[in-house]
């Protein structure tokens, strides 16, 4: 995509990654810690970030809810000797798609303008939310834990 | 291969040998049990259908074979799902997720689940801390979520995704066996006169097989029914995890059963279609508006954020270590949680450090920082190098401040030092040679800079050895403990730090001019080249300053102690004034970390000139106490260690005070007894984390000072796995019991149930 070094130098480079861990205080249900990591303190407002994580937690709670829909799904699967899984999307998968769309939207609207990128936790086995922090040319060295790469995004 | 993403069910490869472990050798023996099971199941049932069912359907009803057929289909479907479905394999963690943990992270991390402490073990294969109930299957070489067991009969792990199918397979197989046996018996009973016929013989054979398999299968079914009702996995039951205890994962019998049978099919983690990031990240980036409190915090805690975060991680590491009753694992397995990973729900106290005073005494704030060893290590080495490179003129002070222009430092030994306070003004950075001062851009108050700390730490270790010759220097001990702890895996710390430590040592013990002087010549040639960040400056407390000023006169006459003069009050005032402007951007005033107002001036001392005095400061303070006890050197050493990264000056001072108090109360032998608190912490961590050379280094350096100096009641860590000679202890420890207390970041004490 980049055809010359100039263009390459203009793209921001990854400075560090912040990992939001799972919150296991309520068991193995999928929940992420809402605690605001300090590395992001200078990059994004706390409320925005916490809202994102809280919404994600709500989605996951909805996906894992044991209720009528999931019960019917199970019975149907049993009755069809699980062939139904070839045609139908399970509830969890549907919610995961919603989550993926939500993360995409959040990235576009909130995180990318701030030089951050969220990674869908399912790609990490739902163990962490990976927040990629990109180097902002005006703030190199401000984050104590960032291993700012030497590449500078020049504009 | 991998099933379509649409189907959450029919997964794909059998136990994912291809995706998770690409280079697994083909082992035919693994397929023997599953082949035998399949052969028996399919073969026997086919024979049953061929020989027994025709007569039964004619004799009784056609429903008989239909019923058996349905049951058999159910068995087969569940058998196939249990065999071929991904049990919930975690993909290997990316490199960048654990890049900082590689050789420093503790083996265990503890989380609290519904009030019960659960340990998460580091998986060296998969490179992450295993979530609760996750286990690594050695047969499949994967970490499996909600690992139940590896079933050889299906040649697959049973985990979160396929446990339901396994359970239903067992149930249906039991029913099927009972049906086959029952109908076969019926047939035989009606054909007692024709038992020599083929049909009867086959039926009897099938009955034998069925009867033979019924007992283990039914037993297993009953076992799993109990497990499901209790909400346990086979792994937990067999290993006795909750024997006599409380299972934090149970929700009651009904909810457990409904979770197993009725919950939605869990998603697959491997082989998912990865959506490419279509979002473009382009600068310029928006920045959040800092609120007033945030600004204040920023000003005060410049750099402490990172340190606190680190401290948090280290705190968690400490906790996990304290929980770990096993002996420390070999070095390669030791892991430090990544800084960013350190967050645990229960460690919310850490964040409070940023905005308010820690609830517990600041002495507990000292925690080795387990920040990225790579970075810090190099920084430390560099720091020490700078230190040693400092001009020899300041013998009294270790040339910790790499930043300062050599000319400034060399401004004439001590005399120059006196005037330097203002001038030197190493703009924040580093205060001159004061160990523990952050180098470079990071102006952390004394201990905050990990690089400084690490360098200080390294130096500290060697310091103590040299210092030990004289009076016990608690500060030295602390620093050395810190250092050694921080660098358990950094082997090449010794040479440079030694120089630095020597200089540091001399700084620490101004009263021991003879020792210092003897050490100084060693230092001067080499040390002042390394700009060692002077973390100690941050710790300079008014208390210490006062003490030092007492010693001022004595020190002034000593060439090595020239730097002490800097600490003298008149100088200090001057120094403070001049350094004040620097302190704000170079080092956040310790007030952020500690609410103690008097400590505010302390960081100012961290300026170039101050560093020189710092080591003396500790000495001088010690001197008056010497007769009574070995007064703890000062918080000085701790800052040196990386662990002290987030200790603010206030914290250092508080610690010093507490140490002094402790040593005073202990009445003697307190050589660094008080200081042991941080050191013990460090040692504790060190021992829990490493069983390699760092430990030995600690023991060598730390044992001497520490052993005589445990007058204070520092409860030994319950973790007997750590044979620390120095009696690694944290002040907050409560020995024995089922509870371990671990001091965490910001001095908070955590209780971890063993």
């Amino acid at each position: 995509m980049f055809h010359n070094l100039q263009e390459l130098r203009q793209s921001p480079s990854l400075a560090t990654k912040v990992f939001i861990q799972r919150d296991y205080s309520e068991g193995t249900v999928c929940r992420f810690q809402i605690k605001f990591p300090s590395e992001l303190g200078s990059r994004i407002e706390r409320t925005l970030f916490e809202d994102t994580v809280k919404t994600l937690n709500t989605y996951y709670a909805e996906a894992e809810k044991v209720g009528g829909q999931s019960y019917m799904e199970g019975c149907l699967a049993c009755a069809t000797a699980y062939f139904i899984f070839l045609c139908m999307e399970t509830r969890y998968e549907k919610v995961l798609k919603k989550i993926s769309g939500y993360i995409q939207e959040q990235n576009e609207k909130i995180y990318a303008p701030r030089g951050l990128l969220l990674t869908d936790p399912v790609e990490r086995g739902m163990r962490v939310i990976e927040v990629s922090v990109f180097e902002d040319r005006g703030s190199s060295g401000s984050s104590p834990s960032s291993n700012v790469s030497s590449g500078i995004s020049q504009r | 291969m991998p099933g379509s993403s649409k189907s959450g069910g029919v997964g794909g490869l059998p136990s994912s040998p291809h995706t998770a472990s690409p280079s697994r050798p083909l082992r035919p023996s693994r397929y023997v049990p599953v082949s035998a099971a399949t052969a028996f199941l399919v073969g026997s049932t086919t024979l049953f259908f061929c020989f027994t069912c025709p007569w039964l359907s004619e004799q009784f009803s056609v429903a008989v074979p239909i019923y058996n057929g349905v049951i058999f289909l159910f068995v087969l479907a569940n058998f196939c799902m249990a065999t071929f479905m991904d049990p919930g394999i975690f993909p290997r963690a990316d490199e960048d997720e654990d890049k900082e943990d590689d050789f420093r992270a503790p083996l265990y991390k503890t989380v609290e689940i519904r009030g019960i402490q659960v340990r998460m073990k580091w998986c060296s294969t998969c490179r992450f801390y295993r979530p609760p109930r996750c286990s690594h299957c050695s047969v499949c070489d994967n970490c499996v979520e909600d690992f139940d067991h590896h079933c050889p009969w299906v040649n697959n792990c049973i985990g979160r995704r396929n446990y339901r199918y396994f359970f239903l397979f067992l149930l249906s197989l039991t029913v099927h066996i009972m049906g086959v046996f029952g109908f076969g018996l019926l047939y035989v009973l009606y054909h007692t006169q024709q038992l020599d016929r083929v049909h009867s013989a086959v039926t009897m054979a099938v009955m034998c097989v069925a009867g033979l398999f019924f007992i283990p299968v039914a037993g297993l079914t009953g076992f799993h029914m109990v497990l499901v009702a209790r909400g346990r996995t086979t792994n937990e039951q067999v290993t006795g995890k909750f024997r006599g205890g409380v299972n934090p994962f149970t929700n009651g019998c009904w909810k457990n059963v409904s979770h197993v049978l009725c919950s939605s099919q869990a998603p697959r983690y491997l082989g998912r279609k990865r959506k490419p990031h279509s979002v473009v990240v382009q600068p310029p980036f928006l920045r959040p508006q800092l609120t007033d409190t945030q600004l204040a915090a920023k000003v005060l805690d410049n750099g402490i954020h990172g340190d606190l975060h680190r401290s948090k991680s280290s705190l968690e590491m400490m906790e996990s270590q304290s929980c770990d009753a096993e002996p420390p694992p070999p070095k390669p397995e030791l892991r430090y949680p990544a800084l960013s990973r350190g967050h645990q729900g229960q460690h919310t106290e850490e964040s409070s450090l940023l905005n308010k005073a820690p609830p517990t005494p600041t002495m507990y704030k000292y925690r080795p920082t387990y920040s990225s060893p790579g970075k810090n290590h190099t920084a430390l080495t560099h720091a020490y190098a700078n230190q040693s490179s400092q001009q020899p003129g300041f013998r009294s002070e270790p040339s910790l401040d790499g930043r300062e222009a050599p000319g400034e430092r060399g401004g004439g030994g001590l005399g120059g030092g006196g005037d330097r306070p203002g001038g030197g003004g190493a703009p924040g950075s580093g205060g001159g040679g004061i160990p523990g001062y952050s180098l470079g851009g990071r102006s952390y108050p004394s201990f905050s800079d990990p690089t400084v700390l690490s360098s200080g730490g390294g130096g500290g270790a060697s310091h103590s050895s040299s210092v030990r010759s004289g009076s016990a220097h608690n500060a030295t001990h602390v620093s050395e403990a810190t250092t050694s702890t921080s660098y358990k895996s950094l082997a090449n710390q010794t040479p440079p730090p030694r120089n630095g430590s020597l200089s540091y040592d001399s700084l620490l013990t101004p009263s021991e001019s003879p020792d210092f002087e003897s050490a100084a010549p060693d230092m001067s040639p080499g040390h002042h080249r390394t700009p060692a960040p002077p973390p100690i400056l941050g710790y300079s407390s008014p208390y210490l300053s006062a003490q030092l000023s007492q010693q001022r006169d004595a020190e002034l006459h000593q060439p090595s102690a020239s730097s002490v003069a800097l600490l003298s009050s008149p100088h200090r005032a001057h120094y403070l004034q001049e350094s004040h402007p620097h302190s704000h951007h170079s080092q956040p005033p310790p007030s952020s970390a500690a609410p103690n107002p008097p400590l505010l001036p302390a960081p100012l001392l961290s300026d170039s000139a101050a560093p020189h005095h710092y080591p003396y400061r500790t000495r001088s303070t010690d001197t008056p106490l010497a007769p009574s006890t070995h007064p703890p050197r000062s918080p000085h050493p701790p800052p040196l260690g990386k662990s002290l990264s987030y200790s603010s000056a206030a914290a250092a001072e508080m610690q010093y005070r507490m140490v002094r108090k402790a040593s005073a109360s202990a009445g003697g032998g307190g050589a660094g007894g008080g200081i042991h608190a941080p050191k013990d912490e460090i040692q504790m961590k060190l021992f829990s984390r490493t069983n390699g050379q760092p430990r030995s280094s600690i023991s060598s350096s730390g044992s001497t000072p520490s052993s005589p100096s445990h007058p204070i009641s520092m409860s030994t860590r319950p973790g007997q796995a750590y044979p620390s000679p120095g009696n690694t202890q944290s002040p907050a420890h409560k020995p024995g019991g089922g509870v371990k207390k671990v001091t965490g970041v910001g001095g908070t004490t955590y209780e971890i149930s063993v």
Side-chain angles (χ1 to χ4, degrees), chain B residues 304 307-308 311 353 362-367 369 436 444-449 453 482 535 538-539 588 590 593-594 635-653 655 745-746:
Chain B
I304 286 195
D307 297 331
L308 284 174
S311 63
L353 281 175
T362 53
M363 73 189 298
Y364 299 112
K365 278 196 202 163
Y366 291 117
R367 290 208 45 185
T369 320
Y444 293 136
S446 56
F447 306 100
S448 49
D449 189 354
L453 289 176
T482 317
Y539 280 86
H636 186 51
L640 279 184
K642 216 162 51 153
S643 55
L644 302 172
S645 60
Y646 32 81
S647 43
S648 60
E653 188 201 336
Q655 184 182 18
V745 177

Side-chain angles (χ1 to χ4, degrees), chain A residues 12 17 19 21 24-25 33 35 38-39 42 64 70-71 82 85 93 104 113 124-125 127 139 144 155, chain B residues 7 78 90 94 96-97 113-114 128 131 262 274 278 281-282 286-287 309 340-341 343-345 442:
Chain A
K17 286 190 181 183
F19 295 99
Q21 298 291 324
Y24 292 110
S25 57
Q33 291 181 359
K35 188 162 47 148
S38 49
E39 289 91 342
S42 61
E64 295 187 345
S70 60
Y71 177 72
Y82 309 114
F85 287 135
E93 288 288 340
Q104 169 96 359
R124 298 279 177 267
R127 291 179 296 104
S139 71
R155 269 264 141 166
Chain B
S7 72
N78 285 301
F90 283 111
D94 281 353
D96 43 21
E97 190 175 336
I113 300 180
R114 297 183 186 169
F128 53 76
C262 307
R274 248 197 203 200
S278 57
V281 179
Q282 291 279 350
L286 298 175
R287 290 275 163 166
H309 181 56
S340 56
R341 174 185 306 156
H343 302 296
Q344 289 293 340
R442 287 207 217 180

Side-chain angles (χ1 to χ4, degrees), chain B residues 534-551:
Chain B
I536 301 183
L537 276 184
Y539 280 86
S540 57
S541 60
Y543 176 77
L544 289 178
S545 310
Q547 294 286 339
L548 288 169
S549 59
Q550 294 176 22
Q551 308 302 322

Side-chain angles (χ1 to χ4, degrees), chain B residues 154-174:
Chain B
V154 299
N155 191 31
N156 196 12
C157 280
I158 307 300
R160 176 185 178 193
R161 296 186 76 229
N162 62 353
Y163 182 78
R164 171 191 333 177
Y165 308 113
F166 176 77
F167 182 65
L168 290 175
F169 166 67
L170 285 180
L171 276 177
S172 54
L173 186 63
T174 308

